[in-house]
Amino acid sequence: MDKVALVTGSSSGIGFETALALARHGYYTYATMRDTKKGDKILEIAKKENLGINVIELDVNSEDSIKKAVEKMLSEKKRIDLLVNNAGYFLVGCLEDMTEKDLRDQFETNFFGVVRTIQSILPTMRNQKSGIIVNVSSVAGRIGFPVTPGYISSKFALEGLSESMRYELVPFGIKTIIIEPGVIKTNLFSTLKKATRSDPAYKDITQKVMKGLLMMSEMGTPPQEVANTIVKAISSDNPLPRYPVGNDAIMFLEAKKAKTDIEFENYIKKELFS
Ligand SMILES: NC(=O)c1ccc[n+]([C@@H]2O[C@H](COP(=O)([O-])OP(=O)(O)OC[C@H]3O[C@@H](n4cnc5c(N)ncnc54)[C@H](OP(=O)(O)O)[C@@H]3O)[C@@H](O)[C@H]2O)c1
């Protein structure tokens, strides 16, 4: 019997490549997306390569949409072996430029979207006494950075959730894995949402950071590397809690580990302001 996977946000980037990589690895994969019209490309590749991929609608902001997608998957396959929580977007703007709604919307997708999706599949995984949950966080889930506090705090929250649920789910044979990509070349940067306000007090730092991020995104790690890391992590009998992806992620996370808080802050300031 095929193992069954569900990937959120499969219309592009990391989710698209992960859904393909999982199908190539033998999973029957539900490549979910909020607009299924964006599913033509993945279905075309699936047809060409004879892969088990089904595109279905799932908007992580909607409990009803998640419920319908999970019901469809379970009615067809009766099980779920792997959930990849990937859907997310990038809110950019300093704290004072964000409205409360900007921040709540960011958490609605990047954090509560993950919570809702996990809660909808956990009863099935507990009954099966097996399953793997992969949460696509970011190096931004471990390191603070100016001009992106909304995105960063949503990923910090996701890290806390993931690290804690990992213990809770052990007795049910369910594994939790966090993926921490650095800058990846995807649509994340072209579809970013700007904070509602733009106070001139933050204009310089916002422009500087945005310019740096857009430059880095052009040279970013290909999303296939994230997909390959996910396949490697789920194939392990004892997956690690966290898998960084990309040289930039490894460099920042190693620096964070090796330095005191103040040393690390000075290192980031040097990168930013010199
Ligand atoms: N790119 C990076 O540098 C990077 C680094 C670290 C972590 N990440 C994380 O990787 C994940 C995937 O991002 P990406 O880089 O692959 O960017 P992407 O190409 O923009 O993909 C984002 C995906 O999330 C989907 N999405 C957004 N809101 C959604 C919702 N409410 N319900 C369902 N799907 C939704 C998008 O769907 P639509 O097509 O409908 O918009 C798209 O499929 C995100 O969680 C992101 O935070 C990215």
Short mmCIF file of all heavy atoms in Angstrom, two decimals, residues 8-16 32-35 38 58-62 85-90 108-110 136-140 151 155 158 179-191 193 217 223 226, ligand 1:
data_model
loop_
_atom_site.label_atom_id
_atom_site.label_comp_id
_atom_site.label_asym_id
_atom_site.label_seq_id
_atom_site.Cartn_x
_atom_site.Cartn_y
_atom_site.Cartn_z
N THR A 8 0.93 21.29 2.12
CA THR A 8 0.18 22.55 1.96
C THR A 8 1.02 23.54 1.15
O THR A 8 2.25 23.48 1.16
CB THR A 8 -0.20 23.19 3.32
OG1 THR A 8 0.99 23.59 4.01
CG2 THR A 8 -1.00 22.24 4.18
N GLY A 9 0.34 24.41 0.42
CA GLY A 9 1.04 25.44 -0.37
C GLY A 9 1.89 24.85 -1.48
O GLY A 9 3.05 25.23 -1.66
N SER A 10 1.29 23.93 -2.26
CA SER A 10 2.06 23.22 -3.31
C SER A 10 2.02 23.91 -4.66
O SER A 10 2.46 23.34 -5.66
CB SER A 10 1.50 21.80 -3.50
OG SER A 10 1.57 21.09 -2.31
N SER A 11 1.46 25.13 -4.72
CA SER A 11 1.33 25.76 -6.04
C SER A 11 2.67 26.25 -6.57
O SER A 11 2.82 26.44 -7.78
CB SER A 11 0.35 26.94 -5.97
OG SER A 11 0.91 27.96 -5.19
N SER A 12 3.64 26.47 -5.69
CA SER A 12 4.94 26.99 -6.16
C SER A 12 6.04 26.67 -5.16
O SER A 12 5.78 26.13 -4.07
CB SER A 12 4.85 28.51 -6.36
OG SER A 12 4.61 29.15 -5.12
N GLY A 13 7.27 26.98 -5.54
CA GLY A 13 8.41 26.97 -4.63
C GLY A 13 8.65 25.66 -3.91
O GLY A 13 8.64 24.57 -4.50
N ILE A 14 8.86 25.75 -2.61
CA ILE A 14 9.24 24.60 -1.79
C ILE A 14 8.13 23.55 -1.77
O ILE A 14 8.39 22.34 -1.86
CB ILE A 14 9.58 25.08 -0.34
CG1 ILE A 14 10.83 25.98 -0.37
CG2 ILE A 14 9.77 23.90 0.60
CD1 ILE A 14 11.12 26.71 0.93
N GLY A 15 6.88 23.99 -1.67
CA GLY A 15 5.76 23.04 -1.62
C GLY A 15 5.63 22.26 -2.92
O GLY A 15 5.41 21.05 -2.92
N PHE A 16 5.78 22.95 -4.04
CA PHE A 16 5.71 22.34 -5.37
C PHE A 16 6.80 21.26 -5.49
O PHE A 16 6.51 20.11 -5.85
CB PHE A 16 5.91 23.45 -6.41
CG PHE A 16 5.93 22.99 -7.84
CD1 PHE A 16 4.76 22.92 -8.57
CD2 PHE A 16 7.13 22.64 -8.46
CE1 PHE A 16 4.78 22.50 -9.91
CE2 PHE A 16 7.16 22.22 -9.78
CZ PHE A 16 5.98 22.15 -10.51
N THR A 32 -1.71 20.09 -2.12
CA THR A 32 -2.86 20.98 -1.88
C THR A 32 -2.47 22.44 -2.13
O THR A 32 -1.32 22.83 -1.97
CB THR A 32 -3.42 20.82 -0.45
OG1 THR A 32 -2.51 21.41 0.49
CG2 THR A 32 -3.64 19.36 -0.09
N MET A 33 -3.47 23.21 -2.55
CA MET A 33 -3.24 24.64 -2.83
C MET A 33 -4.58 25.38 -2.72
O MET A 33 -5.64 24.76 -2.87
CB MET A 33 -2.60 24.84 -4.20
CG MET A 33 -3.27 24.16 -5.34
SD MET A 33 -2.21 24.09 -6.83
CE MET A 33 -1.11 22.73 -6.47
N ARG A 34 -4.51 26.69 -2.47
CA ARG A 34 -5.80 27.37 -2.29
C ARG A 34 -6.49 27.63 -3.63
O ARG A 34 -7.70 27.79 -3.68
CB ARG A 34 -5.67 28.64 -1.46
CG ARG A 34 -4.61 29.59 -1.89
CD ARG A 34 -4.49 30.74 -0.93
NE ARG A 34 -3.32 31.54 -1.26
CZ ARG A 34 -3.00 32.64 -0.66
NH1 ARG A 34 -3.73 33.09 0.33
NH2 ARG A 34 -1.92 33.32 -1.02
N ASP A 35 -5.71 27.68 -4.72
CA ASP A 35 -6.30 27.86 -6.04
C ASP A 35 -5.85 26.70 -6.93
O ASP A 35 -4.71 26.68 -7.42
CB ASP A 35 -5.83 29.21 -6.62
CG ASP A 35 -6.34 29.45 -8.03
OD1 ASP A 35 -7.10 28.60 -8.54
OD2 ASP A 35 -5.96 30.48 -8.62
N LYS A 38 -3.83 26.57 -10.24
CA LYS A 38 -2.36 26.61 -10.30
C LYS A 38 -1.76 25.20 -10.32
O LYS A 38 -0.54 25.05 -10.27
CB LYS A 38 -1.81 27.41 -9.11
CG LYS A 38 -2.16 28.88 -9.14
CD LYS A 38 -1.48 29.62 -8.00
CE LYS A 38 -1.80 31.10 -8.00
NZ LYS A 38 -1.20 31.81 -6.85
N LEU A 58 -6.95 23.49 -0.63
CA LEU A 58 -6.80 23.65 0.82
C LEU A 58 -6.23 25.03 1.10
O LEU A 58 -5.12 25.36 0.68
CB LEU A 58 -5.87 22.56 1.40
CG LEU A 58 -5.86 22.39 2.93
CD1 LEU A 58 -5.28 21.03 3.32
CD2 LEU A 58 -5.12 23.49 3.65
N ASP A 59 -7.04 25.84 1.79
CA ASP A 59 -6.60 27.16 2.24
C ASP A 59 -6.39 27.05 3.75
O ASP A 59 -7.35 26.80 4.49
CB ASP A 59 -7.69 28.20 1.90
CG ASP A 59 -7.34 29.60 2.38
OD1 ASP A 59 -6.44 29.74 3.23
OD2 ASP A 59 -7.98 30.55 1.89
N VAL A 60 -5.16 27.21 4.21
CA VAL A 60 -4.88 26.98 5.64
C VAL A 60 -5.56 28.01 6.54
O VAL A 60 -5.65 27.81 7.75
CB VAL A 60 -3.36 26.92 5.95
CG1 VAL A 60 -2.67 25.80 5.20
CG2 VAL A 60 -2.67 28.26 5.71
N ASN A 61 -6.06 29.11 5.94
CA ASN A 61 -6.77 30.11 6.74
C ASN A 61 -8.21 29.70 7.03
O ASN A 61 -8.89 30.37 7.80
CB ASN A 61 -6.79 31.46 6.02
CG ASN A 61 -5.43 32.13 6.01
OD1 ASN A 61 -4.47 31.58 6.51
ND2 ASN A 61 -5.36 33.32 5.45
N SER A 62 -8.68 28.63 6.36
CA SER A 62 -10.08 28.26 6.49
C SER A 62 -10.23 26.85 7.07
O SER A 62 -9.80 25.86 6.47
CB SER A 62 -10.75 28.32 5.10
OG SER A 62 -11.88 27.49 5.06
N ASN A 85 3.68 20.89 6.48
CA ASN A 85 3.10 22.23 6.65
C ASN A 85 4.05 23.24 6.04
O ASN A 85 5.07 23.59 6.65
CB ASN A 85 2.90 22.52 8.14
CG ASN A 85 1.77 21.71 8.71
OD1 ASN A 85 0.64 21.81 8.25
ND2 ASN A 85 2.07 20.87 9.70
N ASN A 86 3.72 23.66 4.84
CA ASN A 86 4.64 24.51 4.07
C ASN A 86 4.04 25.89 3.76
O ASN A 86 4.77 26.87 3.63
CB ASN A 86 5.00 23.77 2.77
CG ASN A 86 5.60 24.69 1.75
OD1 ASN A 86 6.76 25.09 1.85
ND2 ASN A 86 4.80 25.07 0.75
N ALA A 87 2.70 25.98 3.64
CA ALA A 87 2.08 27.24 3.21
C ALA A 87 2.52 28.40 4.10
O ALA A 87 2.58 28.27 5.32
CB ALA A 87 0.56 27.11 3.26
N GLY A 88 2.83 29.51 3.46
CA GLY A 88 3.22 30.68 4.24
C GLY A 88 3.48 31.87 3.34
O GLY A 88 3.58 31.72 2.12
N TYR A 89 3.56 33.06 3.94
CA TYR A 89 3.96 34.24 3.16
C TYR A 89 4.82 35.14 4.03
O TYR A 89 5.00 34.89 5.24
CB TYR A 89 2.74 34.95 2.57
CG TYR A 89 1.91 35.75 3.56
CD1 TYR A 89 2.17 37.09 3.79
CD2 TYR A 89 0.87 35.15 4.26
CE1 TYR A 89 1.42 37.82 4.70
CE2 TYR A 89 0.10 35.87 5.17
CZ TYR A 89 0.39 37.20 5.39
OH TYR A 89 -0.35 37.93 6.29
N PHE A 90 5.38 36.16 3.40
CA PHE A 90 6.43 36.98 3.99
C PHE A 90 5.92 38.40 4.22
O PHE A 90 5.70 39.13 3.25
CB PHE A 90 7.61 36.97 3.01
CG PHE A 90 8.90 37.55 3.51
CD1 PHE A 90 9.22 37.59 4.86
CD2 PHE A 90 9.84 38.04 2.60
CE1 PHE A 90 10.43 38.11 5.31
CE2 PHE A 90 11.05 38.56 3.03
CZ PHE A 90 11.35 38.60 4.38
N GLU A 108 -2.09 34.18 11.23
CA GLU A 108 -3.22 33.37 10.78
C GLU A 108 -2.75 32.30 9.79
O GLU A 108 -3.14 31.14 9.88
CB GLU A 108 -4.24 34.29 10.11
CG GLU A 108 -5.64 33.74 9.98
CD GLU A 108 -6.24 33.30 11.30
OE1 GLU A 108 -6.07 33.98 12.32
OE2 GLU A 108 -6.87 32.24 11.30
N THR A 109 -1.89 32.70 8.86
CA THR A 109 -1.39 31.75 7.86
C THR A 109 -0.19 30.96 8.39
O THR A 109 -0.19 29.73 8.40
CB THR A 109 -0.98 32.49 6.57
OG1 THR A 109 -2.12 33.20 6.07
CG2 THR A 109 -0.48 31.52 5.50
N ASN A 110 0.87 31.68 8.82
CA ASN A 110 2.15 31.01 9.11
C ASN A 110 2.11 30.20 10.40
O ASN A 110 2.90 29.26 10.56
CB ASN A 110 3.28 32.04 9.23
CG ASN A 110 3.63 32.68 7.90
OD1 ASN A 110 2.89 32.57 6.93
ND2 ASN A 110 4.75 33.36 7.84
N VAL A 136 7.64 23.49 7.98
CA VAL A 136 8.63 24.31 7.28
C VAL A 136 8.71 25.66 8.01
O VAL A 136 7.86 26.52 7.85
CB VAL A 136 8.29 24.49 5.79
CG1 VAL A 136 9.36 25.35 5.11
CG2 VAL A 136 8.19 23.12 5.10
N SER A 137 9.74 25.77 8.84
CA SER A 137 9.99 27.01 9.57
C SER A 137 10.96 27.82 8.73
O SER A 137 10.77 27.98 7.52
CB SER A 137 10.55 26.66 10.95
OG SER A 137 10.96 27.80 11.64
N SER A 138 12.05 28.26 9.31
CA SER A 138 13.02 29.09 8.60
C SER A 138 14.19 29.35 9.54
O SER A 138 14.03 29.22 10.77
CB SER A 138 12.37 30.42 8.23
OG SER A 138 13.33 31.33 7.77
N VAL A 139 15.31 29.76 8.98
CA VAL A 139 16.37 30.26 9.84
C VAL A 139 15.82 31.47 10.61
O VAL A 139 16.23 31.77 11.73
CB VAL A 139 17.65 30.57 9.01
CG1 VAL A 139 17.43 31.77 8.13
CG2 VAL A 139 18.85 30.78 9.89
N ALA A 140 14.79 32.10 10.03
CA ALA A 140 14.11 33.22 10.68
C ALA A 140 13.31 32.78 11.91
O ALA A 140 12.79 33.62 12.64
CB ALA A 140 13.18 33.92 9.68
N TYR A 151 7.12 38.35 10.35
CA TYR A 151 7.44 37.03 9.79
C TYR A 151 8.27 36.23 10.80
O TYR A 151 7.99 35.06 11.07
CB TYR A 151 8.22 37.24 8.49
CG TYR A 151 8.63 35.95 7.79
CD1 TYR A 151 7.70 35.19 7.10
CD2 TYR A 151 9.96 35.51 7.82
CE1 TYR A 151 8.08 34.02 6.44
CE2 TYR A 151 10.34 34.35 7.16
CZ TYR A 151 9.40 33.61 6.48
OH TYR A 151 9.77 32.44 5.84
N LYS A 155 7.50 32.59 12.78
CA LYS A 155 8.34 31.39 12.67
C LYS A 155 8.92 30.99 14.04
O LYS A 155 9.08 29.81 14.31
CB LYS A 155 9.45 31.60 11.64
CG LYS A 155 8.94 31.76 10.20
CD LYS A 155 8.26 30.49 9.65
CE LYS A 155 7.93 30.60 8.18
NZ LYS A 155 7.23 29.43 7.63
N LEU A 158 6.24 29.05 15.57
CA LEU A 158 6.17 27.72 14.95
C LEU A 158 7.25 26.79 15.51
O LEU A 158 7.02 25.60 15.72
CB LEU A 158 6.31 27.86 13.42
CG LEU A 158 6.26 26.59 12.60
CD1 LEU A 158 4.94 25.83 12.82
CD2 LEU A 158 6.42 26.90 11.11
N ILE A 179 12.03 22.10 9.53
CA ILE A 179 12.95 22.40 8.43
C ILE A 179 13.26 23.90 8.49
O ILE A 179 12.34 24.72 8.61
CB ILE A 179 12.31 22.04 7.06
CG1 ILE A 179 11.91 20.56 7.02
CG2 ILE A 179 13.25 22.39 5.90
CD1 ILE A 179 13.05 19.56 7.03
N GLU A 180 14.55 24.23 8.43
CA GLU A 180 14.96 25.63 8.58
C GLU A 180 15.76 26.11 7.36
O GLU A 180 16.99 26.15 7.39
CB GLU A 180 15.79 25.79 9.86
CG GLU A 180 14.97 25.54 11.11
CD GLU A 180 15.80 25.47 12.38
OE1 GLU A 180 17.00 25.16 12.30
OE2 GLU A 180 15.24 25.74 13.44
N PRO A 181 15.04 26.48 6.29
CA PRO A 181 15.77 26.98 5.12
C PRO A 181 16.33 28.38 5.38
O PRO A 181 15.77 29.16 6.15
CB PRO A 181 14.70 27.04 4.02
CG PRO A 181 13.51 26.29 4.56
CD PRO A 181 13.59 26.40 6.04
N GLY A 182 17.44 28.67 4.69
CA GLY A 182 17.94 30.04 4.62
C GLY A 182 17.16 30.72 3.49
O GLY A 182 15.97 30.47 3.31
N VAL A 183 17.86 31.55 2.71
CA VAL A 183 17.15 32.22 1.61
C VAL A 183 17.06 31.26 0.42
O VAL A 183 18.05 30.75 -0.06
CB VAL A 183 17.87 33.52 1.20
CG1 VAL A 183 17.18 34.15 0.00
CG2 VAL A 183 17.86 34.51 2.37
N ILE A 184 15.82 31.01 -0.01
CA ILE A 184 15.55 30.06 -1.09
C ILE A 184 14.95 30.83 -2.27
O ILE A 184 14.14 31.75 -2.06
CB ILE A 184 14.55 28.97 -0.60
CG1 ILE A 184 15.00 28.35 0.73
CG2 ILE A 184 14.33 27.90 -1.67
CD1 ILE A 184 16.30 27.59 0.71
N LYS A 185 15.36 30.44 -3.46
CA LYS A 185 14.89 31.16 -4.66
C LYS A 185 13.48 30.69 -5.02
O LYS A 185 13.30 29.69 -5.72
CB LYS A 185 15.86 30.91 -5.81
CG LYS A 185 15.79 31.93 -6.87
CD LYS A 185 16.89 31.79 -7.87
CE LYS A 185 16.65 32.80 -8.98
NZ LYS A 185 17.62 32.70 -10.02
N THR A 186 12.49 31.41 -4.51
CA THR A 186 11.08 31.07 -4.78
C THR A 186 10.30 32.36 -4.99
O THR A 186 10.87 33.45 -4.97
CB THR A 186 10.44 30.33 -3.58
OG1 THR A 186 10.35 31.25 -2.49
CG2 THR A 186 11.22 29.09 -3.18
N ASN A 187 8.97 32.23 -5.06
CA ASN A 187 8.11 33.42 -5.21
C ASN A 187 7.92 34.20 -3.91
O ASN A 187 7.23 35.21 -3.91
CB ASN A 187 6.70 32.99 -5.67
CG ASN A 187 6.72 32.45 -7.08
OD1 ASN A 187 7.69 32.65 -7.80
ND2 ASN A 187 5.65 31.76 -7.47
N LEU A 188 8.48 33.68 -2.80
CA LEU A 188 8.22 34.31 -1.50
C LEU A 188 8.51 35.81 -1.51
O LEU A 188 7.79 36.60 -0.88
CB LEU A 188 9.06 33.64 -0.40
CG LEU A 188 8.64 33.93 1.02
CD1 LEU A 188 7.43 33.08 1.42
CD2 LEU A 188 9.77 33.70 2.02
N PHE A 189 9.56 36.19 -2.24
CA PHE A 189 9.98 37.60 -2.22
C PHE A 189 9.17 38.46 -3.20
O PHE A 189 8.92 39.62 -2.93
CB PHE A 189 11.50 37.68 -2.51
CG PHE A 189 12.28 36.91 -1.49
CD1 PHE A 189 12.60 35.58 -1.69
CD2 PHE A 189 12.64 37.50 -0.29
CE1 PHE A 189 13.28 34.84 -0.73
CE2 PHE A 189 13.32 36.78 0.69
CZ PHE A 189 13.64 35.44 0.46
N SER A 190 8.75 37.85 -4.32
CA SER A 190 7.95 38.65 -5.27
C SER A 190 6.50 38.80 -4.79
O SER A 190 5.79 39.70 -5.23
CB SER A 190 7.99 38.02 -6.67
OG SER A 190 7.57 36.69 -6.61
N THR A 191 6.07 37.92 -3.88
CA THR A 191 4.68 38.00 -3.40
C THR A 191 4.61 38.54 -1.96
O THR A 191 3.57 38.45 -1.32
CB THR A 191 4.00 36.61 -3.42
OG1 THR A 191 4.77 35.73 -2.60
CG2 THR A 191 3.92 36.04 -4.82
N LYS A 193 4.22 40.69 1.41
CA LYS A 193 3.24 41.73 1.76
C LYS A 193 3.94 42.82 2.56
O LYS A 193 4.65 42.51 3.53
CB LYS A 193 2.11 41.12 2.59
CG LYS A 193 1.26 40.20 1.76
CD LYS A 193 -0.16 40.08 2.27
CE LYS A 193 -0.92 39.19 1.31
NZ LYS A 193 -1.66 38.12 1.93
N SER A 217 17.88 36.83 -2.49
CA SER A 217 16.89 35.89 -3.04
C SER A 217 17.25 35.48 -4.47
O SER A 217 17.01 34.36 -4.89
CB SER A 217 15.48 36.48 -3.00
OG SER A 217 15.31 37.40 -4.03
N PRO A 223 14.85 25.58 -4.49
CA PRO A 223 13.86 24.91 -3.61
C PRO A 223 13.97 23.38 -3.62
O PRO A 223 13.56 22.73 -2.66
CB PRO A 223 12.52 25.39 -4.16
CG PRO A 223 12.80 25.93 -5.52
CD PRO A 223 14.21 26.40 -5.52
N VAL A 226 15.58 22.03 -0.57
CA VAL A 226 14.71 21.89 0.62
C VAL A 226 13.92 20.59 0.50
O VAL A 226 13.81 19.81 1.46
CB VAL A 226 13.76 23.10 0.76
CG1 VAL A 226 12.97 22.99 2.05
CG2 VAL A 226 14.51 24.41 0.71
N1 LIG B 1 11.90 31.30 0.16
C1 LIG B 1 12.60 31.40 1.26
O1 LIG B 1 13.67 32.05 1.30
C2 LIG B 1 12.15 30.68 2.51
C3 LIG B 1 13.05 30.55 3.55
C4 LIG B 1 12.65 29.92 4.72
C5 LIG B 1 11.37 29.43 4.84
N2 LIG B 1 10.49 29.57 3.81
C6 LIG B 1 9.14 29.07 4.00
O2 LIG B 1 8.83 28.13 3.00
C7 LIG B 1 7.43 28.06 2.83
C8 LIG B 1 7.11 28.06 1.35
O3 LIG B 1 7.48 29.28 0.79
P1 LIG B 1 8.23 29.41 -0.62
O4 LIG B 1 9.55 30.01 -0.36
O5 LIG B 1 8.12 28.16 -1.37
O6 LIG B 1 7.38 30.59 -1.29
P2 LIG B 1 6.22 30.57 -2.39
O7 LIG B 1 6.74 30.04 -3.67
O8 LIG B 1 5.65 31.94 -2.36
O9 LIG B 1 5.19 29.51 -1.81
C9 LIG B 1 4.29 29.82 -0.78
C10 LIG B 1 3.12 28.87 -0.89
O10 LIG B 1 2.25 29.08 0.22
C11 LIG B 1 0.94 29.21 -0.31
N3 LIG B 1 0.03 29.90 0.59
C12 LIG B 1 0.08 31.16 1.06
N4 LIG B 1 -0.99 31.40 1.84
C13 LIG B 1 -1.73 30.27 1.86
C14 LIG B 1 -2.94 29.86 2.46
N5 LIG B 1 -3.67 30.71 3.22
N6 LIG B 1 -3.39 28.59 2.28
C15 LIG B 1 -2.71 27.73 1.50
N7 LIG B 1 -1.57 28.06 0.86
C16 LIG B 1 -1.09 29.30 1.05
C17 LIG B 1 1.12 29.91 -1.65
O11 LIG B 1 -0.06 29.74 -2.42
P3 LIG B 1 -0.59 30.80 -3.52
O12 LIG B 1 0.07 30.39 -4.81
O13 LIG B 1 -2.07 30.59 -3.53
O14 LIG B 1 -0.19 32.16 -3.05
C18 LIG B 1 2.31 29.12 -2.17
O15 LIG B 1 1.90 27.88 -2.66
C19 LIG B 1 6.83 29.23 3.62
O16 LIG B 1 6.31 28.76 4.84
C20 LIG B 1 8.04 30.11 3.87
O17 LIG B 1 7.91 30.88 5.04
C21 LIG B 1 10.84 30.17 2.64
#
